[in-house]
């Protein structure tokens, strides 16, 4: 199987004010593959993943150096509209962030802003997305309720559903299973493997087993640097760097 | 140990008394309003009082119909909200969505400073600048009309609307915007479909409090509304809002007489109106906090 590069980060530096959060990151995200990012808390995984859909430009006083591309096109080029980029790259945030709207509207919103008006289509899509995100059974009788009344884990799955409803090319998952029980987690992992057929996927996780189970490639971050990147199998069985080995065997982090 | 306990108890009592002092004042004011205002209802009847179309408190026999005064208040309040809502909400949106950090840091205090100008200064400004302008613009016998009262009151209420709306907008968590952008919404869609609805009740609270400021304002309308206790048909006629009537006539009304009681009754009705305004604002803003998950 040869791999096609879907997204690419090249010599990426990122700053919050004067604090450098990412140092010279080079990483490829391959088409129809799952790329996992692991590393201790605060090492810059969220910061990095949020660069792929230009989310960090909403954070004041930040700056970016280097190039991030989607299908070879620099996504930060002045001629590129961030809205177009985000229509092609979906994201599930680390903290669940449903809208203060009904469960139904949380999902339909993404379709509506993308110009879809067909009611029957939207309803079908809402149901499909909620089913895929393993939350349909819990909410099907109260789609009109406020999403903020859901539990943390339910909100997280709702946000996954919201992301799935808008058909993108890439999905960025930032710790999608952080507040989920083992059964939901297993189902989300199944979903990710299923989604791989149609999407390119990036997932941040603190769960080593999860990275090993779902990903094809893994990047290990430490203090804003990408220490090692390669096939998941290699990273987990024969890491080249001592720090990587120490982290995945649980000896630090 | 017992000394400390006693001290704690004393502190507790002091703060309890302070907290209840304002309630005490409120109740006291309400009692006085009722006591001094209700006699007029016995004299002319409640419905006749509020629906009566003529306010001639000093003629013989007097007419105590406050419809012209209530309509005067209504007109200038509505007129003022036509000024302060677009101006206040618009500038709040500008501050929150468009202005940079530094600009906001500079502009917001300046707008809030507008609120601290004494109303007599606004009245003076209206009298010397706006009134002659309106008179000339429309070729009127007098520039002192509902229109310029509305304009000035609107400007006076703008900081209230702006400041509360801006707070409401800035309480909208960034994560809502991020969620919206992440599904491919543009800035306009995010603003109109996520940010404004999320801040909507906060903005309504600002509008209601702005209006209640306008309806209760006295000095300005006394100076520039023209003072005619006649039911207004257009914005270009002079009006006498309820507050202006009370302020202008209280000095001449013999204490304990019908006119005196009638003015208290007006104050009572005015109080009830602003009370309702504030209750509505409170209910809406509580809903808002729950909606954003700021409090249970
Ligand atoms: N909005 C922000 N402003 C300033 N600094 C930030 C901001 N967000 C993150 N940082 C800093 O950037 C660094 C990387 O944070 P980031 O959230 O990317 O870590 P992470 O690897 O996702 O951690 P976790 O596993 O805990 O989610 C941290 O030192 C953090 O303090
Ligand atoms: Mg993170």
């Amino acid at each position: 199987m040869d791999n096609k590069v879907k997204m690419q980060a090249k010599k990426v530096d990122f700053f919050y004010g004067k604090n450098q959060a990412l140092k010279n990151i080079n990483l490829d995200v391959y088409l129809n593959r799952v790329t996992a990012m692991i590393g201790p808390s605060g090492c810059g995984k969220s910061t990095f993943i949020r660069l792929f859909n230009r989310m960090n430009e909403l954070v004041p006083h930040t700056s970016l150096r280097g190039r991030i591309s989607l299908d070879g096109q620099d996504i930060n080029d002045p001629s590129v509209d961030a809205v177009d980029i985000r229509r092609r790259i979906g994201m599930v945030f680390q903290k669940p962030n449903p809208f203060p709207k009904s469960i139904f509207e949380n999902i339909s919103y993404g379709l509506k802003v993308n110009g879809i008006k067909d009611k029957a289509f939207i309803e079908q899509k809402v149901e499909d997305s909620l089913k895929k995100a393993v939350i349909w059974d819990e909410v099907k009788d109260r789609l009109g309720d406020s999403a903020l009344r859901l539990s943390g884990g339910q909100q997280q799955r709702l946000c996954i559903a919201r992301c799935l409803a808008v058909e993108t090319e890439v999905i960025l998952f930032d710790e999608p299973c952080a507040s989920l029980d083992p059964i939901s987690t297993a189902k989300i992992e199944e979903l990710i493997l299923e989604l791989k057929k149609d999407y390119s996927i990036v997932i941040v996780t603190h769960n080593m087993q999860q990275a090993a189970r779902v990903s094809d490639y893994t990047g290990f971050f430490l203090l804003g640097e990408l220490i090692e990147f390669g096939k998941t199998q290699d990273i987990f069985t024969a890491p080249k760097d001592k720090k990587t080995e120490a982290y995945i065997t649980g000896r630090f982090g | 140990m017992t000394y400390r306990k006693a001290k704690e108890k004393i502190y507790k009592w002091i703060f309890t008394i302070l907290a209840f002092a304002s309630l005490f004042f409120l109740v006291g004011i309400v009692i006085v309003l009722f006591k001094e205002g209700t006699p007029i209802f016995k004299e002319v009847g409640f419905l006749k009082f509020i629906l009566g179309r003529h306010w001639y408190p000093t003629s013989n026999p007097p007419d105590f119909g406050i419809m012209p005064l209530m309509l005067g208040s209504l007109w200038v309040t509505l007129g003022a909200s036509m000024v302060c809502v677009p101006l206040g909400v618009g500038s709040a949106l500008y501050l929150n969505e468009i202005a940079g950090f530094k600009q906001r840091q500079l502009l917001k205090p300046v707008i809030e400073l507008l609120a601290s100008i004494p109303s007599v200064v606004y009245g003076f400004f209206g009298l010397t600048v706006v009134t002659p302008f309106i008179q000339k613009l429309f070729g009127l016998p007098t520039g002192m009309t509902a229109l310029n009262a509305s304009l000035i009151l609107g400007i006076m209420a703008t900081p209230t609307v702006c400041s509360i709306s801006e707070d409401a907008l800035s309480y909208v968590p960034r994560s809502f915007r991020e969620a919206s952008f992440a599904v491919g919404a543009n800035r306009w869609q995010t603003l109109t479909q996520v940010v404004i609805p999320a801040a909507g009740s906060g903005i309504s609270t600002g509008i209601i409090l702005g209006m209640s400021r306008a309806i209760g304002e006295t000095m300005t309308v006394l100076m520039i509304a023209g003072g005619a206790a006649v039911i207004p048909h257009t914005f270009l006629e002079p009006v006498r809002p309820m507050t202006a009537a009370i302020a202008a006539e209280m000095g001449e009304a013999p204490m304990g007489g019908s006119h005196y009681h009638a003015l208290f009754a007006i104050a009572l009705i005015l109080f009830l109106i602003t009370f309702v305004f504030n209750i509505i604002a409170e209910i809406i803003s509580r809903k808002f906090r729950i909606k954003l998950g700021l409090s249970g």
Side-chain angles (χ1 to χ4, degrees):
Chain A
M1 280 196 300
D2 48 332
N3 291 324
K4 244 186 87 193
V5 173
K6 182 68 183 172
M7 296 197 77
Q8 185 177 55
K10 224 170 180 179
K11 292 189 179 167
V12 167
D13 293 312
F14 187 82
F15 299 83
Y16 289 108
K18 285 201 171 66
N19 281 338
Q20 185 159 10
L22 295 173
K23 294 169 203 149
N24 191 26
I25 310 286
N26 294 286
L27 183 150
D28 291 343
V29 173
Y30 297 106
L31 183 70
N32 299 123
R33 297 285 177 274
V34 177
T35 305
M37 297 188 188
I38 58 172
S41 183
C43 66
K45 305 177 298 293
S46 294
T47 303
F48 184 58
I49 200 176
R50 286 164 55 93
L51 288 173
F52 282 126
N53 65 343
R54 291 179 57 173
M55 232 357 102
N56 281 335
E57 66 189 32
L58 303 174
V59 182
H61 314 301
T62 55
S63 54
L64 168 72
R65 274 202 308 248
R67 182 186 146 103
I68 292 171
S69 56
L70 172 66
D71 291 336
Q73 152 91 286
D74 182 353
I75 63 168
N76 292 301
D77 192 86
S79 68
V80 174
D81 187 352
V83 172
D84 294 329
I85 291 298
R86 295 182 190 129
R87 285 186 177 166
R88 296 174 61 191
I89 305 175
M91 171 169 250
V92 176
F93 293 82
Q94 179 165 8
K95 280 195 212 118
N97 56 353
F99 299 119
K101 295 173 181 282
S102 74
I103 293 168
F104 185 90
E105 287 167 325
N106 259 277
I107 314 293
S108 63
Y109 178 77
L111 299 167
K112 285 185 179 149
V113 295
N114 282 288
I116 295 169
K117 294 201 179 75
D118 183 351
K119 263 200 172 151
F121 178 84
I122 291 177
E123 272 172 28
Q124 190 56 48
K125 198 83 202 168
V126 169
E127 182 176 335
D128 291 348
S129 315
L130 289 168
K131 275 183 179 154
K132 276 190 194 160
V134 234
I135 186 179
W136 172 251
D137 288 333
E138 286 154 76
V139 299
K140 63 171 187 271
D141 300 321
R142 47 167 177 152
L143 293 176
D145 281 10
S146 168
L148 297 187
R149 266 190 237 135
L150 297 173
S151 76
Q154 288 174 325
Q155 290 188 359
Q156 203 160 30
R157 281 173 285 154
L158 182 76
C159 292
I160 294 174
R162 178 175 68 193
C163 173
L164 297 177
V166 190
E167 282 170 8
T168 53
E169 300 163 31
V170 180
I171 299 184
L172 310 168
F173 286 106
D174 197 347
E175 297 189 42
C177 303
S179 50
L180 296 188
D181 59 87
I183 296 171
S184 310
T185 300
K187 289 200 173 143
I188 296 297
E189 286 179 12
E190 243 172 72
L191 170 75
I192 289 172
L193 292 174
E194 169 87 27
L195 291 171
K196 205 165 95 166
K197 290 180 205 142
D198 306 312
Y199 297 83
S200 309
I201 292 168
V202 181
I203 177 172
V204 172
T205 177
H206 277 291
N207 182 333
M208 291 306 118
Q209 284 82 23
Q210 181 168 66
R213 278 193 299 261
V214 301
S215 73
D216 304 296
Y217 288 84
T218 298
F220 171 58
F221 285 75
L222 190 62
L223 295 171
E225 284 179 85
L226 180 61
I227 302 295
E228 192 167 347
F229 177 71
K231 288 217 161 90
T232 299
Q233 220 178 344
D234 300 342
I235 297 274
F236 278 88
T237 54
K240 292 195 190 75
D241 196 293
K242 278 226 169 67
K243 288 175 264 185
T244 315
E245 188 180 353
Y247 185 72
I248 54 175
T249 52
R251 270 184 284 130
F252 86 76
Chain B
M1 205 55 178
T2 47
Y3 169 71
R4 218 167 87 191
K5 270 212 172 129
K7 215 163 96 179
E8 252 175 46
K9 226 174 189 170
I10 291 171
Y11 277 133
K12 202 179 141 203
W13 271 105
I14 290 176
F15 285 116
T16 312
I17 289 169
L18 288 177
F20 276 89
S22 47
L23 188 65
F24 174 77
F25 288 130
L26 179 70
V27 172
I29 288 171
V30 173
I31 290 174
V32 171
L33 286 181
F34 266 96
K35 188 170 154 283
E36 300 289 346
T38 40
I40 194 70
F41 301 145
K42 275 179 210 132
E43 206 177 315
V44 294
F46 180 69
L47 282 183
K48 242 182 147 181
F49 183 71
I50 58 165
L51 296 178
R53 304 172 62 84
H54 301 288
W55 177 253
Y56 299 122
T58 50
S59 50
N60 199 4
D63 260 318
F64 292 115
I66 62 164
M67 192 50 103
L69 312 181
M70 293 207 302
L71 286 177
S73 285
L74 184 74
W75 278 65
V76 293
T77 304
L78 286 183
S81 51
M82 279 187 246
V83 176
C84 72
V85 172
L87 219 57
V89 176
S91 43
L93 286 174
Y94 176 82
L95 285 179
N96 205 268
E97 289 295 316
I98 299 164
F101 179 76
K102 276 194 188 139
Q103 232 180 6
R104 173 161 55 242
Q105 229 54 0
L106 179 76
L107 277 176
K108 203 174 177 200
V110 169
I111 291 175
E112 278 165 359
L113 207 65
L114 274 179
S116 60
I117 297 174
S119 47
V120 67
V121 175
Y122 277 103
F124 195 64
F125 171 75
L127 212 55
T128 54
V129 181
V130 184
T131 305
F133 175 74
I134 285 181
Q135 183 175 10
K136 257 195 221 128
L137 185 68
F138 294 98
L140 300 171
T142 168
M144 301 219 247
T145 56
L147 178 63
N148 67 340
S150 299
L151 282 176
I152 299 289
L153 285 182
I155 294 169
M156 290 175 75
T158 297
T160 309
V161 179
C162 172
S163 174
I164 296 176
S165 305
E166 211 276 324
D167 286 344
L169 288 169
S170 63
Y171 282 142
V172 176
R174 196 177 71 216
S175 64
F176 288 1
R177 289 169 216 254
E178 289 188 347
S180 172
F181 284 123
V183 291
N186 60 34
R187 215 168 151 173
W188 175 248
Q189 291 164 329
T190 302
L191 185 64
T192 55
Q193 293 177 51
V194 175
V195 178
I196 294 181
S201 6
I203 294 173
S204 329
T205 306
I207 291 172
I208 292 170
L209 291 180
M211 284 171 75
S212 98
R213 157 125 216 220
I215 202 170
E217 175 51 41
T218 306
M219 184 50 83
T220 318
V221 289
L222 188 64
M223 289 168 80
I224 62 169
V230 182
I231 291 182
H233 298 283
T234 73
F235 268 108
L236 297 176
E237 287 168 37
V239 290
R240 174 176 285 229
M242 299 157 90
T243 48
I246 298 170
E249 298 167 25
M250 200 43 114
E252 306 149 17
M255 200 157 157
S258 313
H259 190 191
Y260 174 88
H261 290 306
L263 292 178
F264 266 97
I266 296 175
L268 177 63
I269 288 168
L270 195 60
F271 167 77
L272 292 177
I273 293 173
T274 41
F275 186 67
V276 169
F277 270 24
N278 280 278
I279 298 268
I280 294 174
E282 182 62 35
I283 291 172
I284 293 178
S285 78
R286 198 163 292 177
K287 261 204 188 135
F288 171 66
R289 297 180 63 78
I290 292 171
K291 195 164 142 194
L292 293 189
L294 295 172
S295 71

Short mmCIF file of all heavy atoms in Angstrom, two decimals, chain A residues 59-75:
data_model
loop_
_atom_site.label_atom_id
_atom_site.label_comp_id
_atom_site.label_asym_id
_atom_site.label_seq_id
_atom_site.Cartn_x
_atom_site.Cartn_y
_atom_site.Cartn_z
N VAL A 59 -7.29 32.69 18.45
CA VAL A 59 -6.69 33.00 19.74
C VAL A 59 -5.81 34.22 19.56
O VAL A 59 -4.91 34.22 18.72
CB VAL A 59 -5.84 31.82 20.25
CG1 VAL A 59 -5.27 32.12 21.62
CG2 VAL A 59 -6.66 30.54 20.27
N PRO A 60 -6.09 35.30 20.32
CA PRO A 60 -5.31 36.52 20.12
C PRO A 60 -3.84 36.35 20.50
O PRO A 60 -3.50 35.50 21.32
CB PRO A 60 -6.01 37.55 21.02
CG PRO A 60 -6.84 36.76 21.96
CD PRO A 60 -7.15 35.45 21.34
N HIS A 61 -3.02 37.16 19.91
CA HIS A 61 -1.58 37.22 20.23
C HIS A 61 -0.85 35.91 19.95
O HIS A 61 -0.05 35.45 20.76
CB HIS A 61 -1.34 37.63 21.69
CG HIS A 61 -2.17 38.80 22.12
ND1 HIS A 61 -2.08 40.02 21.49
CD2 HIS A 61 -3.11 38.94 23.08
CE1 HIS A 61 -2.93 40.86 22.06
NE2 HIS A 61 -3.57 40.22 23.02
N THR A 62 -1.17 35.26 18.86
CA THR A 62 -0.43 34.05 18.52
C THR A 62 0.25 34.27 17.18
O THR A 62 -0.17 35.11 16.39
CB THR A 62 -1.38 32.84 18.39
OG1 THR A 62 -2.39 33.15 17.45
CG2 THR A 62 -2.01 32.49 19.72
N SER A 63 1.30 33.52 16.93
CA SER A 63 1.92 33.62 15.62
C SER A 63 2.46 32.26 15.17
O SER A 63 2.79 31.40 15.98
CB SER A 63 3.03 34.67 15.62
OG SER A 63 3.93 34.39 16.66
N LEU A 64 2.48 32.11 13.87
CA LEU A 64 2.83 30.84 13.25
C LEU A 64 3.93 31.05 12.22
O LEU A 64 3.89 32.02 11.46
CB LEU A 64 1.57 30.27 12.57
CG LEU A 64 1.75 29.10 11.61
CD1 LEU A 64 2.07 27.83 12.36
CD2 LEU A 64 0.48 28.90 10.78
N ARG A 65 4.91 30.16 12.24
CA ARG A 65 5.90 30.14 11.17
C ARG A 65 5.89 28.77 10.55
O ARG A 65 5.57 27.79 11.20
CB ARG A 65 7.30 30.44 11.74
CG ARG A 65 7.61 31.92 11.85
CD ARG A 65 9.12 32.15 11.91
NE ARG A 65 9.77 31.33 12.92
CZ ARG A 65 10.32 31.84 14.03
NH1 ARG A 65 10.28 33.12 14.26
NH2 ARG A 65 10.91 31.04 14.89
N GLY A 66 6.24 28.69 9.28
CA GLY A 66 6.27 27.41 8.62
C GLY A 66 5.04 27.23 7.75
O GLY A 66 4.24 28.14 7.59
N ARG A 67 4.91 26.02 7.19
CA ARG A 67 3.87 25.81 6.18
C ARG A 67 3.02 24.60 6.55
O ARG A 67 3.53 23.56 6.95
CB ARG A 67 4.57 25.58 4.84
CG ARG A 67 3.67 25.39 3.67
CD ARG A 67 4.53 25.03 2.46
NE ARG A 67 3.81 24.10 1.61
CZ ARG A 67 3.21 24.47 0.48
NH1 ARG A 67 3.27 25.70 0.06
NH2 ARG A 67 2.54 23.58 -0.22
N ILE A 68 1.71 24.80 6.43
CA ILE A 68 0.80 23.67 6.62
C ILE A 68 -0.02 23.55 5.35
O ILE A 68 -0.62 24.53 4.90
CB ILE A 68 -0.10 23.89 7.84
CG1 ILE A 68 0.75 23.84 9.11
CG2 ILE A 68 -1.19 22.83 7.91
CD1 ILE A 68 0.05 24.25 10.34
N SER A 69 -0.03 22.35 4.78
CA SER A 69 -0.71 22.24 3.50
C SER A 69 -1.76 21.15 3.50
O SER A 69 -1.69 20.18 4.25
CB SER A 69 0.31 22.01 2.38
OG SER A 69 1.07 20.87 2.68
N LEU A 70 -2.74 21.35 2.63
CA LEU A 70 -3.81 20.37 2.41
C LEU A 70 -3.80 20.08 0.91
O LEU A 70 -3.95 21.01 0.10
CB LEU A 70 -5.15 20.98 2.83
CG LEU A 70 -6.40 20.17 2.50
CD1 LEU A 70 -6.44 18.87 3.27
CD2 LEU A 70 -7.65 21.00 2.81
N ASP A 71 -3.56 18.84 0.54
CA ASP A 71 -3.41 18.47 -0.87
C ASP A 71 -2.40 19.38 -1.57
O ASP A 71 -2.63 19.83 -2.70
CB ASP A 71 -4.76 18.55 -1.60
CG ASP A 71 -5.70 17.46 -1.12
OD1 ASP A 71 -5.22 16.42 -0.63
OD2 ASP A 71 -6.93 17.65 -1.23
N GLY A 72 -1.34 19.68 -0.88
CA GLY A 72 -0.27 20.47 -1.49
C GLY A 72 -0.49 21.98 -1.45
O GLY A 72 0.43 22.75 -1.72
N GLN A 73 -1.68 22.40 -1.08
CA GLN A 73 -2.00 23.84 -1.05
C GLN A 73 -1.74 24.40 0.35
O GLN A 73 -2.24 23.85 1.33
CB GLN A 73 -3.47 23.99 -1.47
CG GLN A 73 -4.19 25.18 -0.92
CD GLN A 73 -4.09 26.38 -1.84
OE1 GLN A 73 -3.04 26.99 -1.91
NE2 GLN A 73 -5.16 26.70 -2.53
N ASP A 74 -1.00 25.48 0.43
CA ASP A 74 -0.73 26.12 1.73
C ASP A 74 -2.04 26.69 2.29
O ASP A 74 -2.62 27.60 1.71
CB ASP A 74 0.30 27.24 1.52
CG ASP A 74 0.66 27.91 2.85
OD1 ASP A 74 0.03 27.59 3.88
OD2 ASP A 74 1.58 28.75 2.84
N ILE A 75 -2.50 26.15 3.44
CA ILE A 75 -3.81 26.59 3.94
C ILE A 75 -3.76 27.99 4.55
O ILE A 75 -4.79 28.61 4.76
CB ILE A 75 -4.40 25.61 5.00
CG1 ILE A 75 -3.52 25.53 6.24
CG2 ILE A 75 -4.64 24.24 4.40
CD1 ILE A 75 -4.19 24.82 7.40
#
